Amino acid sequence: MNSHHEPVDPDHYRKAIGRFATGVSVVTTKAGGLDHAMTVNSLTSVSLEPVLMLISVEREARFHDAVIANGTWGVSILDAAQRPHAVWLSTRGRPLHGQLDRVPHHRHESGVPLLDGSLATIVCRTADTLVSGDHTIVVGDVLSLQIAEQPGEALVYFRGRFGSQK
């Protein structure tokens, strides 16, 4: 039996997947003496035994080569008050040098920057990668994590807009 179907329009797919509410985080690493950061909503818990998570990184993004080169990366799960940071770090073409100058952050012992005021921060070491479509799926062993003492409001992304959820 030969099944023929029309290819899915990428813009239509983007609109459909935009109906799926996701949390917002910033992924960071340090490579070539520079901090690299990227706003993501493609963050997934993979396993509890061992503790693994994944991010999906567009291969054309500057962050891609940096995270592959370093192998250690941080995740800052954003509070709703951090929306300006999410917007800034998702702006295409922003300067690479000093991109975290306007974002309060601290460093993990690995040198990876983590955003201050986040709901949680997680540091991972790359365990595996898989090239799929125009992205690389990066799976990381969770090395350490910190959870904010006071839970705030989560920054969420739905239908192409940022919002918040308690």
Side-chain angles (χ1 to χ4, degrees):
M1 175 186 255
N2 186 3
S3 172
H4 177 73
H5 59 84
E6 295 296 316
V8 173
D9 178 284
D11 291 329
H12 198 62
Y13 175 72
R14 180 180 292 120
K15 186 175 181 180
I17 206 67
R19 300 299 197 263
F20 180 63
T22 62
V24 181
S25 59
V26 167
V27 182
T28 51
T29 194
K30 188 170 180 94
L34 296 172
D35 291 328
H36 295 261
M38 177 180 79
T39 301
V40 300
N41 61 356
S42 57
L43 170 71
T44 305
S45 172
V46 174
S47 170
L48 294 176
E49 295 283 335
V51 181
L52 299 170
M53 73 177 340
L54 71 77
I55 56 174
S56 180
V57 182
E58 183 180 15
R59 290 197 327 255
E60 294 294 320
R62 295 183 298 202
F63 187 82
H64 181 272
D65 292 344
V67 75
I68 297 300
N70 184 315
T72 303
W73 39 280
V75 175
S76 299
I77 300 172
L78 301 187
D79 184 279
Q82 294 174 297
R83 178 181 175 169
H85 307 324
V87 171
W88 167 243
L89 295 171
S90 66
T91 303
R92 288 191 182 272
R94 70 185 176 283
L96 178 59
H97 294 270
Q99 65 181 306
L100 289 178
D101 288 355
R102 62 172 80 175
V103 180
H105 63 282
H106 61 281
R107 295 209 181 266
H108 179 262
E109 63 190 32
S110 66
V112 170
L114 299 167
L115 275 60
D116 295 345
S118 298
L119 298 176
T121 57
I122 302 167
V123 176
C124 299
R125 180 177 42 243
T126 300
D128 201 4
T129 60
L130 171 67
V131 173
S132 187
D134 58 0
H135 280 62
T136 298
I137 297 166
V138 182
V139 179
D141 287 309
V142 174
L143 302 177
S144 67
L145 58 89
Q146 296 290 319
I147 301 170
E149 290 183 28
Q150 297 296 320
E153 289 190 29
L155 183 61
V156 296
Y157 195 71
F158 179 68
R159 294 180 65 184
R161 293 191 214 151
F162 291 110
S164 62
Q165 180 67 45
K166 269 195 172 186

